[in-house]
Amino acid sequence: MNIEEFRDYTLSLDGVTEKMPFGKAASPYDRGLLVFSVADKWFALVNVDQFDFCTLKSRPDDTGQLRARYDIDIRPGWHMNKKHWISVTLNSSVPDSEIRRLVRASYDIVVASLTPRERKQFFPEK
């Protein structure tokens, strides 16, 4: 998987937007972070230049199993709440299909957390 495939898949999810909010960050790595959100709530981050790992929301109950299954390629979320976020090494032992599943699961966590008002605002047809 490359950055364009990752980006295309993530943007194919209903209501997803992207932005690069760290343009003034001191670190070049941070300036290259692309953030995906739904209803203005983040669910995925990835560096567009290095495409080394992505950071995703995860249910705490799933995190332990994922880390045990993929050893060093899934770890606590980089610069995020370690209980609710994971970082997944890209182009590693984690198959692309699993990365897509984890992106979708992260998206679903955020969508499930939306209030009825937010749902109506961001998904008016539903």
Side-chain angles (χ1 to χ4, degrees), residues 29-47:
Y29 190 91
D30 292 345
R31 287 192 300 271
L33 288 175
L34 179 62
V35 175
F36 296 91
S37 59
V38 61
D40 296 326
K41 296 181 184 205
W42 297 6
F43 72 93
L45 297 88
V46 67
N47 182 286

Side-chain angles (χ1 to χ4, degrees), residues 7-19 35-44 104 107-108 110-111 114 118-126:
R7 187 174 167 266
D8 288 347
Y9 174 74
T10 306
L11 289 173
S12 76
L13 302 173
D14 197 26
V16 172
T17 58
E18 64 180 347
K19 64 182 172 181
V35 175
F36 296 91
S37 59
V38 61
D40 296 326
K41 296 181 184 205
W42 297 6
F43 72 93
R104 179 59 193 236
Y107 168 87
D108 289 343
V110 171
V111 170
L114 298 178
E118 289 169 324
R119 283 180 196 268
K120 187 174 183 178
Q121 178 184 355
F122 289 94
F123 303 100
E125 68 281 350
K126 292 184 179 183

Side-chain angles (χ1 to χ4, degrees), residues 3 11 14 30 54 63 71 81-82 106 123:
I3 184 61
L11 289 173
D14 197 26
D30 292 345
C54 62
T63 300
D71 194 25
N81 181 315
K82 307 300 186 228
S106 181
F123 303 100

Side-chain angles (χ1 to χ4, degrees), residues 6 13 18 25 27 39 52 57 60 64 72 76 87 94 107 111 121-122:
F6 182 91
L13 302 173
E18 64 180 347
S27 160
D52 48 353
K57 290 204 72 119
I72 62 169
S87 289
V94 183
Y107 168 87
V111 170
Q121 178 184 355
F122 289 94

Side-chain angles (χ1 to χ4, degrees), residues 56 66 74 86 88 98-106:
L56 307 167
L66 288 166
I74 294 183
I86 57 172
V88 181
E98 180 71 355
I99 291 170
R100 284 189 290 277
R101 188 191 73 74
L102 292 170
V103 167
R104 179 59 193 236
S106 181

